[in-house]
Amino acid sequence: MKTQKTKNDGSFQEGFDELEKIVKQFEEGTGDLDESLKLYERGLVLAAQYKKRLTAIENRVKEIDAKFDDGDE
């Protein structure tokens, strides 16, 4: 069995592309049940990984905004 990537490796775009590929395979109904289960699990791993990355990016944007906020709010 191949080792699943679970860290924040690869670019964001690569992970998004992989998720799109998985979704397309499900929409087409290709693959057997065992393969579909593996794809489903991989999709969940990617979704959780990139949700975490998006949250970190969002927090960083807020920090940058706060740093340059002139207090007019």
Side-chain angles (χ1 to χ4, degrees), residues 47-68:
Q49 175 182 339
Y50 288 102
K51 181 179 179 181
K52 184 177 179 179
R53 286 180 78 177
L54 283 172
T55 299
I57 291 167
E58 182 180 55
N59 289 338
R60 180 68 180 131
V61 168
K62 288 177 183 178
E63 289 173 8
I64 293 168
D65 285 346
K67 181 178 177 182
F68 292 98

Side-chain angles (χ1 to χ4, degrees), residues 30-62:
T30 58
D32 64 11
L33 186 58
D34 289 329
E35 182 63 25
S36 294
L37 184 58
K38 290 177 188 176
L39 287 173
Y40 179 73
E41 182 177 19
R42 178 65 179 151
L44 290 179
V45 167
L46 286 169
Q49 175 182 339
Y50 288 102
K51 181 179 179 181
K52 184 177 179 179
R53 286 180 78 177
L54 283 172
T55 299
I57 291 167
E58 182 180 55
N59 289 338
R60 180 68 180 131
V61 168
K62 288 177 183 178

Side-chain angles (χ1 to χ4, degrees), residues 8-46:
N8 287 342
D9 47 1
S11 73
F12 190 87
Q13 187 62 47
E14 288 171 347
F16 186 78
D17 292 344
E18 186 177 353
L19 275 173
E20 282 187 322
K21 183 178 176 183
I22 290 169
V23 169
K24 184 176 180 180
Q25 287 177 297
F26 275 106
E27 289 174 345
E28 293 173 351
T30 58
D32 64 11
L33 186 58
D34 289 329
E35 182 63 25
S36 294
L37 184 58
K38 290 177 188 176
L39 287 173
Y40 179 73
E41 182 177 19
R42 178 65 179 151
L44 290 179
V45 167
L46 286 169

